Amino acid sequence: MFDERRRQEALEELGILDTPRDERVDRVARLAKEMFGVPMVSVSLLDRDRQWRKSEIGLGGDEAPRQDSFCDYTVRQDRTVIVEDALATETFADNPFVVGDPHLRFYAGHPLHAPGGEPIGTLCVLDTEPHTLSDAQQSLLRDLAFWVQTELANDAELDHAAVIQSALRPHAHPVVPGYTIAGGAASRGRLAGDFYDLSLHDGALRVTLADAMGKGTGPALVAASVRASLRTAPGRSLAAAIADADRLLEEDLADTAMFVTAVHAELRPETGELEVIDAGHSLAFILRTDGSWEHLRSTSLPLGMGMGLQPAEAREPRFAHLAPGDAFVCCSDGLLDVLDPDDPFAHVHRVLSALGPDGAVREALRLADDDRATDDITVVVVRRDR
């Protein structure tokens, strides 16, 4: 029995309505157009009184009335519907989409289902000329519909994961008298393999920036695991925290074959003393008041790579000092794509001098939309003001 209430609830639970176009779904639509030789294709989701199109070719709009639509009929039937010539059928001959725009004659649609099995929309191919479909073509339509259905489910799962990942990011930075603290992250896709963290413990400021190898769900999960490990037992020394995170990747996540580059630092605000452990990241710096840069280089390997193959002293912290006006800056390698290639340090210096830490971070995240950007961008700046 058709249950419109449950069908609508299932659609809304997916959270797909009115989201931007998705290249993965568009790709299937383009393939359907070529395979069936039709001018129009739609991936339609049926909302209360409209059919909203996640993807469309040749229909000229993202939505249309649901009433009298072929897709509504298909969803109510919950089966493949093929109309070879609408004018020759009693059911559709007087349909407003046949006698009016877009003057349909041919329609073939297969329902799309929510994870619970509720029919929520269709993949359909359409034409203003009659068509017939072979058994093989009908099977192809069902296969393409299942492909779209899978992509939509993945899309919803990624959206939920992105919400959770966003919630894990710092929403309020610690306030430390005499310092300006700024940080931000922009993912190239919906899920980032970068993360940063800022926290106060016993008067010391902990700063973490890490970058998991790759993009997508796997690196995002690994990054979340490393973040959780470094946050556990905040009273540990930097070296102990890094060793525990290293052990997590080497032992518990060994099958993933992933590694994480990271900067883990602690600042003593009253003195400006800075302690830094760099695990294969090498993108941590101090910008001095005179415009010079001190690169806090490291030769140690990333987390999860070669534990036990490097000497223990490789994880020993490096110490530096922030004088008034100095800034501690660390970033992910995605920022390198959008900086001035001839002099990236001067580029950062100009922006930081002109806009301050908060403005500089906002500018870095704005550049994430630049055509040159190919990776996530994460930046943290801690400046000693006095």
Side-chain angles (χ1 to χ4, degrees):
M1 179 180 294
F2 185 75
D3 187 340
E4 171 62 19
R5 180 189 64 81
R6 179 59 199 142
R7 190 205 66 78
Q8 182 69 32
E9 289 176 352
L11 173 62
E12 292 173 357
E13 286 169 6
L14 281 173
I16 297 173
L17 287 171
D18 299 308
T19 56
R21 295 286 287 261
D22 186 317
E23 174 57 28
R24 297 168 304 167
V25 178
D26 287 344
R27 179 186 175 199
V28 182
R30 291 193 298 268
L31 183 60
K33 178 180 183 297
E34 295 301 321
M35 296 297 292
F36 290 96
V38 295
M40 294 172 281
V41 178
S42 179
V43 174
S44 299
L45 300 175
L46 297 191
D47 199 5
R48 300 181 188 279
D49 58 358
R50 60 172 180 153
Q51 47 179 336
W52 177 78
R53 299 169 181 139
K54 178 67 173 176
S55 180
E56 63 84 20
I57 298 173
L59 290 164
D62 290 337
E63 61 180 72
R66 176 179 172 181
Q67 185 177 0
D68 298 321
S69 70
F70 286 65
C71 291
D72 183 59
Y73 180 84
T74 301
V75 164
R76 291 180 183 277
Q77 297 293 310
D78 197 11
R79 61 175 176 82
T80 304
V81 170
I82 299 172
V83 181
E84 295 181 347
D85 186 350
L87 285 177
T89 67
E90 182 178 347
T91 303
F92 296 105
D94 296 326
N95 185 281
F97 293 98
V98 175
V99 297
D101 191 59
H103 301 285
L104 296 177
R105 296 286 295 277
F106 167 72
Y107 171 92
H110 187 80
L112 306 172
H113 297 93
E118 301 85 356
I120 56 170
T122 66
L123 167 66
C124 58
V125 293
L126 314 97
D127 202 345
T128 55
E129 301 291 336
H131 281 259
T132 60
L133 291 187
S134 66
D135 290 344
Q137 287 176 310
Q138 293 180 41
S139 179
L140 174 62
L141 179 64
R142 289 191 293 270
D143 289 344
L144 291 176
F146 182 75
W147 185 359
V148 170
Q149 181 177 300
T150 301
E151 294 291 4
L152 293 179
N154 290 340
D155 191 65
E157 290 177 4
L158 284 172
D159 282 342
H160 294 155
V163 169
I164 294 171
Q165 188 175 67
S166 177
L168 292 175
R169 290 174 180 162
H171 294 287
H173 297 153
V175 175
V176 179
Y179 289 81
T180 301
I181 301 169
S187 59
R188 191 59 181 165
R190 266 177 291 183
L191 293 177
D194 296 358
F195 77 90
Y196 78 100
D197 201 16
L198 297 160
S199 62
L200 280 172
H201 181 71
D202 289 341
L205 176 68
R206 284 275 174 106
V207 180
T208 306
L209 191 148
D211 186 354
M213 177 190 68
K215 300 181 181 68
T217 306
L221 290 172
V222 170
S225 298
V226 172
R227 176 188 180 276
S229 175
L230 292 174
R231 269 193 160 236
T232 302
R236 291 172 301 173
S237 67
L238 292 186
I242 283 290
D244 288 343
D246 210 2
R247 193 173 301 109
L248 168 76
L249 288 174
E250 282 283 353
E251 297 176 358
D252 296 345
L253 300 177
D255 291 343
T256 68
M258 284 191 178
F259 61 86
V260 178
T261 67
V263 175
H264 197 40
E266 183 171 276
L267 173 69
R268 291 288 172 182
E270 66 278 8
T271 63
E273 295 304 315
L274 183 67
E275 179 183 352
V276 180
I277 291 182
D278 187 308
H281 195 72
S282 295
L283 290 172
F285 310 87
I286 295 177
L287 173 58
R288 301 294 183 186
T289 52
D290 62 3
S292 64
W293 288 85
E294 181 180 344
H295 190 178
L296 304 177
R297 287 185 174 85
S298 170
T299 58
S300 68
L301 295 173
L303 303 178
M305 180 184 287
M307 183 180 177
L309 298 180
Q310 58 185 355
E313 59 269 20
R315 289 280 193 252
E316 290 296 315
R318 175 169 178 170
F319 294 89
H321 178 262
L322 291 186
D326 292 345
F328 173 57
V329 180
C330 54
C331 65
S332 61
D333 57 6
L335 183 64
L336 304 181
D337 294 332
V338 295
L339 293 178
D340 182 348
D342 295 327
D343 198 343
F345 293 104
H347 186 176
V348 174
H349 187 200
R350 289 194 305 270
V351 173
L352 193 55
S353 298
L355 303 178
D358 289 307
V361 169
R362 286 195 297 271
E363 173 64 9
L365 302 188
R366 185 191 68 79
L367 290 172
D369 293 327
D370 192 286
D371 290 340
R372 295 170 295 167
T374 61
D375 203 353
D376 308 326
I377 292 178
T378 303
V379 184
V380 174
V381 179
V382 179
R383 186 181 66 192
R384 186 176 183 182
D385 299 323
R386 64 175 188 270

